């Protein structure tokens, strides 16, 4: 196998299980048992059913970012020099994919266990497991290097490549906090969020009008039509953040990706956007619980990023934010009173300055606290979904007592109340 990996030009095997397998065939310093153990662990985490070696090679192809995979992800490449190199690589990759594991002395008669693997996990936590499994199955049907290459190209055009292609959501990490192997020339790095809530939009009870507005804007964005930055504002626990998180699960396979950014990371936004503009996905920069006090001036920088700076925000990036404040920035009674100010001549200018940030969001959606009947409707719907059977009047009394004790009525409170009954 070593001879195969050394001949690859576009696809990089360094540091992967492919390289370790190759080393284990020739290098006495590498323990084959460790290599097999890593493959078994990988297959179990990904809940592989079938040939785990095929799945791993498919995963390697899906995750390897190189000039060829990026070109076809962007759907720009046709007849180009990269394609000629890729044809040679695919001959090698096809040989690796179809490698007879039983020919390896440290595998022997155990090869059938690897080619007919049954995972202990029934479902993988990896969001990309199903699409990689599909790529693996499609590659198994290829009879020639050309069909092998065409299958890979089709995958890149539909799903993309690398971490941005495989994962749903990401968090931003400063460069100086990264391990050395992750260091890049960028000021920050995007790391995948590996453990996510699987709720969809239908799992959020109530707020149908608000959800519909978000859905319509997001669908327009995914379809390449003009779409707005979105501000979801209102009372606590009403489903603002849950709505955005649910979008990831609903539209992941249509190319939607979400990047969560905190207020202290605003200085990284320009750097992040510069890396996203060339990728064939739609990115939502997600800012949760966004608000500013009077003494915080970061909002001025943020204003320029959203709309107003010299650098144009690319068409594949939108900003979705949630806030408990309608105008995001803390307001005082004196902000609109020119006469009642001792320290500023035109106090109304301060008010306009503060309102200019929320004006950058083309779509503002209000999430109010539910009234008593709406709250009880939410409680009953969630109870129904969990299979809880309690007399309706009794459930109402218990829910209202819970709401009074906790000081508010909201979707979050309704769900927390139901959790106490499970």
């Amino acid at each position: 196998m070593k001879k195969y990996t050394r001949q690859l030009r576009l696809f990089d095997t360094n540091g992967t299980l492919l390289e370790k397998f190759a080393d284990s065939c020739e290098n006495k310093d590498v323990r084959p048992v460790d290599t097999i153990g890593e493959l078994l662990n990988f297959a179990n985490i990904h809940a592989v059913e079938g040939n785990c070696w095929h799945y791993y090679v498919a995963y390697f192809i899906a995750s390897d970012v190189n000039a060829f995979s990026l070109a076809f992800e962007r759907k720009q490449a046709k007849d180009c020099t990269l394609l000629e190199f890729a044809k040679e690589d695919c001959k090698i990759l096809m040989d690796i994919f179809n490698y007879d594991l039983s020919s390896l002395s440290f595998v022997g008669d155990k090869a059938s266990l690897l080619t007919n693997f049954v995972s202990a996990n029934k479902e993988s936590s990896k969001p990309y497991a199903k699409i990689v499994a599909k790529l693996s199955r499609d590659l198994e049907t290829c009879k020639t290097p050309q069909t092998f290459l065409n299958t890979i190209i089709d995958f890149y055009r539909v799903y993309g490549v690398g971490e941005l292609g495989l994962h749903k959501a990401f968090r931003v990490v400063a460069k100086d906090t990264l391990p050395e192997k992750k260091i890049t020339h960028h000021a920050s790095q995007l790391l995948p969020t590996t453990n996510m809530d699987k709720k969809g939009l239908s799992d959020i009870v109530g707020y149908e009008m608000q959800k519909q507005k978000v859905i319509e804007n997001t669908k327009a964005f995914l379809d390449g039509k003009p779409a707005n930055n979105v501000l979801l504002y209102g009372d606590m626990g009403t489903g603002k953040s849950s709505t955005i998180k649910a979008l990831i699960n609903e539209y992941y396979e249509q190319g939607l990706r979400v990047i969560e950014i905190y207020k202290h990371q605003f200085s990284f936004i320009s750097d992040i956007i510069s890396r996203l503009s060339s990728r064939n996905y739609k990115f939502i920069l997600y800012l949760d619980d966004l608000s500013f006090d009077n003494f915080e001036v970061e909002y001025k920088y943020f204003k320029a990023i959203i709309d107003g700076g010299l650098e144009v925000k690319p068409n594949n990036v939108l900003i979705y934010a949630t806030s408990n404040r309608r105008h995001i920035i803390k307001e005082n009674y004196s902000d609109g009173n020119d006469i009642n100010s001792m320290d500023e001549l035109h106090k109304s200018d301060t008010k306009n300055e503060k309102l200019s940030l929320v004006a950058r969001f083309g779509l503002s959606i209000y999430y109010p606290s539910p009234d008593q009947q709406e709250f009880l409707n939410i409680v009953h719907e969630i109870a129904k979904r969990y299979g809880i059977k309690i007399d309706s009047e009794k459930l109402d009394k218990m829910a209202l007592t819970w709401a009074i004790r906790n000081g508010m009525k909201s979707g979050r409170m309704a769900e927390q109340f139901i959790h106490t009954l499970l």
Side-chain angles (χ1 to χ4, degrees), residues 205-269:
V205 183
Y207 298 96
E208 297 304 323
M209 181 185 70
Q210 289 86 343
K211 287 192 294 184
Q212 189 58 35
K213 287 182 178 180
V214 177
I215 290 170
E216 288 173 359
N217 191 74
T218 305
K219 282 186 174 180
F221 179 46
L222 293 171
D223 291 340
K225 299 176 182 177
N228 288 305
N229 298 313
V230 181
L231 173 65
L232 284 64
Y233 71 94
D235 299 314
M236 296 182 296
T238 51
K240 303 182 296 295
S241 300
S242 297
T243 300
I244 296 177
K245 293 173 184 176
L247 289 174
I248 312 171
N249 297 321
E250 293 285 345
Y251 300 112
Y252 162 68
E253 293 191 3
Q254 295 182 37
L256 184 67
R257 303 292 183 266
V258 176
I259 299 171
E260 187 171 21
I261 301 176
Y262 295 102
K263 187 165 63 176
H264 68 276
Q265 298 174 322
F266 282 176
S267 60
F268 297 143
I269 292 181

Side-chain angles (χ1 to χ4, degrees), residues 158-392:
V158 175
Y159 297 106
V161 63
E163 288 186 336
L164 289 179
L166 296 179
H167 292 273
K168 294 180 179 180
F170 304 83
R171 57 191 175 89
V172 179
V173 179
K175 181 173 70 172
D176 55 10
T177 65
L178 292 169
E180 187 173 348
K181 65 179 181 179
K182 288 273 188 181
I183 295 295
T184 68
H185 66 280
H186 295 287
S188 63
Q189 184 68 290
L190 301 178
L191 298 184
T193 302
T194 55
N195 189 19
M196 288 186 56
D197 194 332
K198 296 183 179 181
K199 286 183 180 178
L201 289 166
S202 61
D203 296 315
I204 302 172
V205 183
Y207 298 96
E208 297 304 323
M209 181 185 70
Q210 289 86 343
K211 287 192 294 184
Q212 189 58 35
K213 287 182 178 180
V214 177
I215 290 170
E216 288 173 359
N217 191 74
T218 305
K219 282 186 174 180
F221 179 46
L222 293 171
D223 291 340
K225 299 176 182 177
N228 288 305
N229 298 313
V230 181
L231 173 65
L232 284 64
Y233 71 94
D235 299 314
M236 296 182 296
T238 51
K240 303 182 296 295
S241 300
S242 297
T243 300
I244 296 177
K245 293 173 184 176
L247 289 174
I248 312 171
N249 297 321
E250 293 285 345
Y251 300 112
Y252 162 68
E253 293 191 3
Q254 295 182 37
L256 184 67
R257 303 292 183 266
V258 176
I259 299 171
E260 187 171 21
I261 301 176
Y262 295 102
K263 187 165 63 176
H264 68 276
Q265 298 174 322
F266 282 176
S267 60
F268 297 143
I269 292 181
S270 294
D271 178 59
I272 293 168
I273 288 177
S274 68
R275 283 178 274 166
L276 304 181
S277 59
S278 62
R279 300 303 297 268
N280 191 37
Y281 308 99
K282 302 293 185 178
F283 296 94
I284 288 176
L285 303 186
Y286 167 43
L287 286 67
D288 191 29
D289 197 19
L290 184 64
S291 65
F292 297 94
D293 286 314
N294 288 325
F295 60 86
E296 295 179 299
V297 296
E298 290 93 339
Y299 75 89
K300 296 184 178 182
Y301 177 76
F302 182 52
K303 229 176 22 170
I305 292 173
I306 298 180
D307 183 21
L310 290 175
E311 186 176 6
V312 178
K313 182 163 59 65
N315 293 329
N316 67 333
V317 177
L318 281 182
I319 295 174
Y320 281 25
T322 68
S323 180
N324 295 329
R325 290 176 176 171
R326 180 181 181 183
H327 294 145
I328 303 177
I329 304 170
K330 183 179 179 180
E331 296 176 271
N332 303 314
Y333 280 112
S334 61
D335 286 346
N337 189 342
D338 286 341
I339 300 174
N340 191 34
S341 174
M342 298 296 293
D343 58 343
E344 188 171 345
L345 181 60
H346 297 292
K347 202 68 175 180
S348 57
D349 290 348
T350 299
K351 182 177 180 179
N352 289 333
E353 167 72 11
K354 291 183 175 182
L355 293 181
S356 65
L357 174 56
V358 74
R360 296 296 203 275
F361 292 92
L363 182 60
S364 294
I365 304 173
Y366 178 46
Y367 279 69
S369 289
D371 60 26
Q372 180 168 302
Q373 189 55 53
E374 289 173 325
F375 173 70
L376 293 177
N377 290 342
I378 294 172
V379 168
H380 282 273
E381 179 60 30
I382 298 175
K384 180 181 177 182
R385 294 182 180 185
Y386 279 103
I388 295 174
K389 297 180 180 180
I390 297 178
D391 177 74
S392 181

